[in-house]
Amino acid sequence: MAGGKLSARQKMINLMYLVFIAMMAMNMSKEVLSAFGLMESKFADANEATGNRNEAMLTDLKTKGEEKPEEFKIPAARAQQVQIASDKFYKYLETVKADLIKAGKYEVDPETGKLPFEAMDKTDILDEAWFTGDRLTKKGEEFMAQVNEYKSSVKAVLAKDEAYRGESETFEKTFSTEKEVNKDGKKIDWLNYNFQGYPAIASYTKLTALQNDVRVTEANLYNLFLGNTLAEATTLNNYKAIVLADKSAFFAGEKFQGRVVIGKYANVPPTKLVVQGEEVDLSKAIDSTGAATLDFNVGNVGEHDIKGEFTFIENGKELPIPIVANYVVVPRPNSATISADKMNVVYRGVANPMTISFAGVPDNKVNASGAGLSKASGIGKYVMNPGSGREVTINVTATLDDGSKASDQQTFRIKDIPKPTGTIAGQDGIVKLPKRNVEIGTVGAVLEDFVFDLPINVTSFKIKVPGQPTVQVTGTKMNSQAKSAIGRARTGDVIAIFDIKAQITGNASYRLKGVSPVTVEVTN
């Protein structure tokens, strides 16, 4: 273009044109090289992010393999085989990239941390390292051996389960090393097609992209192992029939009410658990199966609700799952029921304390009735004040949770308070006392071996001293006439204190039976 019979002006124009074309080519080349560099950076970032996710999935598989070996032990072992093969090949590719940078004497920009993409235009680095004529060098053969070893290791894992066939075919396409057809329509070896004659930055980017294929393959296989176990775990053969009763306690004769569902326990860690208004410490409450252990006071006898909420994270958002259940509290069996069949007795004239309850029914749903029966303070506490007659029957009715009624009754014999025993100076029966002690002594009455500690008040009595007329005394102390008669008694005389009248303190209306007399032998 610049030669021939052209004028000097035309030669100069043609030369400038050539320089312009060369400059355009140089600019285009730099843009292409920069594009490869930008692509390589994106692949590198993606590789780091995918690697982190892969580590998390592998850890999850290992944990599941320990917690549920029957479901996850084999998939976890296969995942570890894939990890070993992938890490080995990934690290090998990293050494190849390092050798390429070293051979080209490329240095990372200290300010940007990036390689000099626009300067990485050499095409002879891998050409000389991997290719010689129509053959591969030892380095080239080593590279292909590493590719094939990685492929064989992964395919050996996938060949162990027919369910992995689809993923195996996808893997084979991704890492196919079959001959490729070039722009001239000729088939050439895979390594030549992808790396021979390319600028260093293009080859470097292709190696990073190959590393990305490794990381993506890892992710796909880990998901496959998790997905396969999930599909297996959700098959109906692995589900259980779970009985959900309307309440956790029933009474004899009552109809069972509840539901039967098909379900499976899931090991999904929650982020929060609230039960009965209190937040539960997940580190202590959640076991290896994902179940939450509840621990709270059950409250009083009767039916109670359990309310709370599980909180999980799904698709980056909190997913609350309500907890709704109930239970029934029955009295703790802390004592045996022992009764003497003939000893169901209440005493007339006494406030007989009674405890009346119905097993499993709260006090406010129990109603007791009977002649002389009244409610006292306290749960299940009553007082029986029997009237006339020989027997009294107490009827008890309970309202159960379903609204139905249950009833029972008990008959008690009514007995009078036994006959009190007279005393003088605190002694009963035949006593020996000096005359002085008799004169100043107090006449009383006691109920010996009675179940109630009743205070008895003596109102009057009679005293007979041998040779002296009978003296009537009011109260508990000797009057002047009684003292005068006692003063005339001689040693050995027997003084009789009889016809003792007494009443229960606080219940003067009840007529006690006659009080037994007391006799005194004068000692001096």
Side-chain angles (χ1 to χ4, degrees):
M1 182 179 293
K5 298 178 180 181
L6 299 176
S7 64
R9 181 175 179 279
Q10 186 63 47
K11 289 180 180 180
M12 180 61 67
I13 292 173
N14 291 345
L15 181 60
M16 291 176 64
Y17 179 75
L18 288 173
V19 170
F20 176 72
I21 295 297
M23 291 178 65
M24 288 184 64
M26 289 177 64
N27 288 334
M28 180 62 70
S29 176
K30 288 181 178 181
E31 290 175 358
V32 172
L33 295 175
S34 294
F36 271 113
L38 293 174
M39 188 179 300
E40 194 280 334
S41 295
K42 290 185 178 297
F43 275 127
D45 292 341
N47 290 348
E48 183 178 358
T50 306
N52 292 335
R53 288 193 296 271
N54 289 349
E55 287 183 10
M57 282 194 290
L58 183 62
T59 300
D60 187 33
L61 270 168
K62 289 179 179 178
T63 302
K64 290 181 183 296
E66 294 174 356
E67 294 176 348
K68 295 184 178 181
E70 68 281 0
E71 294 181 12
F72 292 98
K73 183 178 181 180
I74 293 177
R78 291 172 180 172
Q80 292 178 69
Q81 290 176 307
V82 170
Q83 182 225 10
I84 293 172
S86 298
D87 280 358
K88 180 181 178 183
F89 186 46
Y90 190 95
K91 291 176 181 177
Y92 171 74
L93 292 175
E94 197 65 34
T95 62
V96 174
K97 289 165 60 178
D99 290 343
L100 190 153
I101 296 300
K102 183 178 180 181
K105 297 181 180 180
Y106 302 121
E107 295 182 358
V108 176
D109 188 326
E111 294 184 2
T112 64
K114 296 180 179 180
L115 289 168
F117 303 140
E118 296 180 358
M120 296 176 67
D121 56 354
K122 296 180 181 179
T123 62
D124 58 348
I125 297 177
L126 290 186
D127 286 0
E128 293 178 358
W130 289 357
F131 309 106
T132 173
D134 57 354
R135 294 183 299 104
L136 296 179
T137 64
K138 288 185 177 180
K139 282 289 185 181
E141 290 176 350
E142 178 188 276
F143 184 87
M144 290 304 300
Q146 290 289 334
V147 173
N148 290 325
E149 181 182 348
Y150 172 65
K151 289 176 59 179
S152 298
S153 298
V154 174
K155 289 173 70 176
V157 174
L158 297 177
K160 294 177 180 178
D161 197 318
E162 181 64 22
Y164 303 157
R165 176 181 290 184
E167 190 62 35
S168 180
E169 293 174 355
T170 300
F171 174 77
E172 180 59 40
K173 290 179 182 178
T174 301
F175 289 92
S176 174
T177 55
E178 296 293 327
K179 289 187 176 184
E180 302 279 359
V181 179
N182 66 6
K183 61 182 180 179
D184 297 326
K186 294 181 179 180
K187 286 188 175 184
I188 60 175
D189 290 336
W190 175 83
L191 193 62
N192 299 71
Y193 180 83
N194 283 279
F195 292 96
Q196 192 171 27
Y198 284 94
I201 184 58
S203 297
Y204 192 89
T205 300
K206 284 187 177 183
L207 291 170
T208 305
L210 195 56
Q211 288 179 311
N212 182 257
D213 289 337
V214 173
R215 289 292 182 241
V216 171
T217 295
E218 274 190 283
N220 291 341
L221 295 185
Y222 295 164
N223 279 312
L224 173 68
F225 299 144
L226 286 168
N228 259 13
T229 53
L230 179 59
E232 181 181 349
T234 55
T235 176
L236 289 179
N237 288 330
N238 291 313
Y239 272 61
K240 296 180 179 180
I242 301 175
V243 178
L244 303 176
D246 285 355
K247 57 184 180 180
S248 60
F250 293 89
F251 298 106
E254 188 179 5
K255 288 185 177 180
F256 179 90
Q257 293 180 326
R259 294 167 293 157
V260 178
V261 298
I262 300 297
K264 190 177 187 297
Y265 299 102
N267 184 13
V268 182
T271 59
K272 186 178 180 181
L273 172 61
V274 177
V275 178
Q276 305 298 67
E278 298 289 335
E279 186 168 349
V280 178
D281 185 351
L282 294 177
S283 64
K284 299 178 181 178
I286 305 299
D287 63 19
S288 60
T289 66
T293 302
L294 302 183
D295 185 3
F296 59 87
N297 294 327
V298 296
N300 297 327
V301 173
E303 185 174 1
H304 300 269
D305 293 328
I306 299 176
K307 294 183 179 180
E309 186 176 82
F310 262 126
T311 302
F312 297 88
I313 297 297
E314 185 174 273
N315 297 325
K317 298 180 180 179
E318 287 192 348
L319 174 65
I321 297 179
I323 301 171
V324 179
N326 60 10
Y327 63 94
V328 176
V329 179
V330 297
R332 180 187 293 275
N334 58 0
S335 62
T337 300
I338 304 173
S339 63
D341 293 342
K342 299 295 184 180
M343 296 302 291
N344 291 330
V345 175
V346 291
Y347 290 91
R348 205 182 335 262
V350 179
N352 297 262
M354 307 187 81
T355 299
I356 301 174
S357 63
F358 220 105
V361 181
D363 186 56
N364 61 353
K365 292 186 178 182
V366 175
N367 181 53
S369 62
L373 183 70
S374 61
K375 192 77 170 69
S377 61
I379 297 175
K381 299 301 181 182
Y382 293 81
V383 172
M384 165 60 73
N385 287 289
S388 60
R390 308 297 297 176
E391 292 182 341
V392 62
T393 299
I394 296 177
N395 296 289
V396 183
T397 302
T399 302
L400 305 183
D401 298 328
D402 59 1
S404 62
K405 304 288 186 180
S407 61
D408 196 5
Q409 63 178 211
Q410 182 70 56
T411 299
F412 292 81
R413 290 181 296 144
I414 301 175
K415 297 185 69 174
D416 290 324
I417 296 174
K419 186 176 182 178
T421 300
T423 64
I424 176 68
Q427 301 182 56
D428 61 57
I430 300 175
V431 299
K432 293 181 179 183
L433 290 173
K435 287 193 295 182
R436 179 58 182 165
N437 287 22
V438 178
E439 290 175 358
I440 64 174
T442 300
V443 176
V446 295
L447 292 168
E448 294 183 338
D449 299 325
F450 188 51
V451 293
F452 294 96
D453 185 15
L454 291 179
I456 304 297
N457 180 37
V458 172
T459 58
S460 67
F461 60 91
K462 293 178 181 179
I463 181 169
K464 173 63 176 172
V465 178
Q468 302 296 321
T470 300
V471 179
Q472 177 75 37
V473 180
T474 301
T476 61
K477 291 290 189 177
M478 303 296 176
N479 57 20
S480 58
Q481 289 178 302
K483 289 181 179 179
S484 177
I486 296 170
R488 296 186 180 95
R490 295 173 295 181
T491 302
D493 284 347
V494 175
I495 300 173
I497 300 173
F498 62 100
D499 198 15
I500 302 172
K501 304 296 183 182
Q503 62 186 22
I504 300 172
T505 303
N507 188 9
S509 62
Y510 180 81
R511 296 179 62 86
L512 285 168
K513 294 180 179 181
V515 181
S516 61
V518 57
T519 57
V520 180
E521 182 182 346
V522 179
T523 59
N524 56 33

